[in-house]
Amino acid sequence: WFHQIREVIHNQETDSIDFLQDFKTSFLTEEIYVYTPKGDVKMLPVGSTALDFAFAIHSAIGVKTIGAKVNHKLVPISHKLHSGDQVEIITSNKQKASEDWLGFVVTSKAKGRIRDALKEEKRKVSDEGRYAVQRKLEGLGASMSQHNIDEMVHWYKLPSNLDLFYQVAIKNIDLKELKDFKVVGDRIEAPKPIKHVTEKHEFIPHIGKKDAELIIFGESSDKIVYNLAKCCNPIPGDDVFGFVTTGKGLTIHRSNCPNAAKLLASYGHRVVKTKWAKNKEISFLTGIKIVGMDDVGVVSKITNLISGELKINISALTIEAKEGLFEGNIKLYVHDKEELDNLVQKLLALQGIASVERYDMEDIPS
């Protein structure tokens, strides 16, 4: 109990509000008693998950956790534990902490270590963004000064330098936009907001439907130049919007695309309502990740369902197995979201399959 208090106090990332919340959650609630496969006992707050248990064992184990076996049954990391459960943690060196984890862990140690891991990962990725910003500024004849960085942070409406470098590194920010900045000596000055009004009149006629509020695309005879955003890989049936891009026509994003909030906030005048046209002749590339028990014939079951029963074309498939669990990454072509949803439901119905998730980002495995 005192060890848990020490964990919270020494966690420098925890502010006063988080401390009070963690104190109530971790120390003023009832506890459960959970066992390791060797019979060791771990005490955790009621509502703790398999991931809380993993962090209770060791932080290094927690950040690599991909699943667990509770009473010899495969469960996801968000599975809530009960007194008397025997828990075996399954890890993978490829696993990384996710911000989603903060939504279901309850112990202060797990929350603190997840935040630490996320910040450390962000710092590593941000280094690439920092070098990219420096090269771009030097190319413009400006310096890598705090003033210039602050100017960019303010322009992109980001909370910190780290966030700027991170967004550049993951290609959410295109540094080509800096050509609109004014260079005075070795300093840059962001364009005045009035520039956005001018851009509005430039881009709307490019659509080709001057007064239309809704653009329907996807038909084979469609004259609108459009492309599908790689950051979210939309397919017919997804809720989407169009973003007008110079020289590229319309770029289609999913409404829940990670970049949607920034595009709508900063470039709302270049966003147009769009809707898919029904077209079963065209297939779209998407990807799914499957996790389940590593059993004989599991790959055959999956491929027979996809290619044999549902007649869906597989572009690529990789399967990795470790410690009784397999993880499969599949790239395939579907006609629309309805076909993809049907596939996901049928895969989940197969014995031994624990989870099936669609890849949302451009990190669909190559």
Side-chain angles (χ1 to χ4, degrees):
W1 192 83
F2 285 107
H3 177 71
Q4 294 180 52
I5 293 178
R6 190 166 62 249
E7 285 280 353
V8 174
I9 293 175
H10 288 301
N11 184 3
Q12 298 178 353
E13 303 295 336
T14 303
D15 60 27
S16 56
I17 296 177
D18 288 337
F19 174 83
L20 290 174
Q21 185 60 41
D22 290 340
F23 186 87
K24 289 189 292 183
T25 302
S26 301
F27 314 130
L28 304 181
T29 61
E30 297 180 9
E31 291 185 321
I32 57 173
Y33 300 85
V34 187
Y35 298 88
T36 68
K38 294 182 178 180
D40 296 330
V41 180
K42 295 288 182 182
M43 292 186 295
L44 297 168
V46 170
S48 292
T49 64
L51 189 57
D52 287 296
F53 177 83
F55 276 103
I57 295 174
H58 199 283
S59 298
I61 293 176
V63 295
K64 297 295 182 183
T65 299
I66 60 172
K69 290 181 181 178
V70 175
N71 304 323
H72 308 290
K73 180 181 178 182
L74 185 69
V75 298
I77 58 178
S78 58
H79 177 82
K80 289 188 177 182
L81 304 175
H82 301 89
S83 276
D85 283 343
Q86 184 190 75
V87 185
E88 178 183 349
I89 297 300
I90 302 170
T91 62
S92 169
N93 288 331
K94 293 185 176 181
Q95 179 68 300
K96 293 181 180 179
S98 167
E99 198 162 348
D100 294 339
W101 293 3
L102 294 171
F104 56 80
V105 295
V106 299
T107 60
S108 57
K109 179 175 182 179
K111 289 180 180 179
R113 295 298 181 267
I114 291 169
R115 292 189 188 107
D116 290 344
L118 289 173
K119 289 194 174 184
E120 181 59 30
E121 181 63 24
K122 198 170 185 178
R123 287 190 189 100
K124 290 179 181 178
V125 175
S126 297
D127 286 340
E128 299 176 16
R130 176 187 288 273
Y131 296 137
V133 170
Q134 183 173 357
R135 288 195 301 270
K136 187 65 178 179
L137 287 173
E138 290 174 352
L140 294 172
S143 64
M144 184 70 169
S145 65
Q146 190 59 50
H147 165 81
N148 290 341
I149 295 172
D150 289 342
E151 195 77 0
M152 294 173 66
V153 168
H154 179 71
W155 170 254
Y156 289 109
K157 300 178 181 178
L158 296 170
S160 68
N161 297 357
L162 182 65
D163 287 284
L164 171 67
F165 300 141
Y166 180 75
Q167 293 299 322
V168 170
I170 64 175
K171 295 181 170 54
N172 277 355
I173 288 180
D174 187 354
L175 292 178
K176 291 179 181 178
E177 296 175 2
L178 289 183
K179 70 180 186 298
D180 296 328
F181 281 59
K182 183 179 180 181
V183 180
V184 181
D186 64 349
R187 295 158 71 96
I188 60 173
E189 294 180 3
K192 303 300 180 184
I194 193 170
K195 268 200 146 185
H196 291 301
V197 177
T198 306
E199 288 180 357
K200 182 173 183 179
H201 296 298
E202 290 177 4
F203 282 98
I204 288 182
H206 186 76
I207 301 295
K209 295 193 177 183
K210 187 174 181 181
D211 300 319
E213 292 185 357
L214 181 67
I215 294 178
I216 299 176
F217 67 96
E219 297 173 338
S220 56
S221 61
D222 202 339
K223 295 181 180 179
I224 297 174
V225 178
Y226 73 90
N227 60 84
L228 304 179
K230 292 184 178 181
C231 52
C232 56
N233 295 297
I235 60 176
D238 287 332
D239 290 329
V240 291
F241 65 89
F243 182 73
V244 183
T245 308
T246 309
K248 295 183 180 179
L250 207 59
T251 300
I252 308 301
H253 292 262
R254 288 166 59 185
S255 297
N256 60 351
C257 171
N259 295 331
K262 175 181 177 293
L263 293 176
L264 291 169
S266 302
Y267 308 100
H269 59 285
R270 292 164 61 178
V271 172
V272 292
K273 295 180 181 179
T274 52
K275 182 179 180 181
W276 293 97
K278 292 184 178 179
N279 190 340
K280 287 289 186 180
E281 298 176 1
I282 305 175
S283 295
F284 296 82
L285 182 65
T286 188
I288 55 174
K289 180 172 72 174
I290 306 176
V291 177
M293 295 292 292
D294 182 21
D295 200 1
V296 177
V298 66
V299 177
S300 178
K301 289 179 184 177
I302 292 172
T303 55
N304 285 342
L305 172 63
I306 297 174
S307 299
E309 181 180 337
L310 299 179
K311 309 296 182 186
I312 294 175
N313 184 24
I314 296 176
S315 171
L317 182 151
T318 59
I319 299 284
E320 292 187 5
K322 184 179 179 182
E323 298 181 2
L325 198 69
F326 82 87
E327 181 177 309
N329 297 306
I330 305 176
K331 290 200 293 185
L332 37 79
Y333 289 94
V334 297
H335 294 101
D336 50 37
K337 186 173 182 291
E338 182 180 356
E339 186 174 36
L340 179 62
D341 290 342
N342 181 49
L343 168 62
V344 170
Q345 292 305 315
K346 286 185 176 291
L347 286 170
L348 287 170
L350 293 178
Q351 185 174 359
I353 301 298
S355 67
V356 181
E357 297 177 354
R358 174 183 176 185
Y359 283 100
D360 291 330
M361 307 293 287
E362 54 184 333
D363 58 353
I364 295 179
S366 334

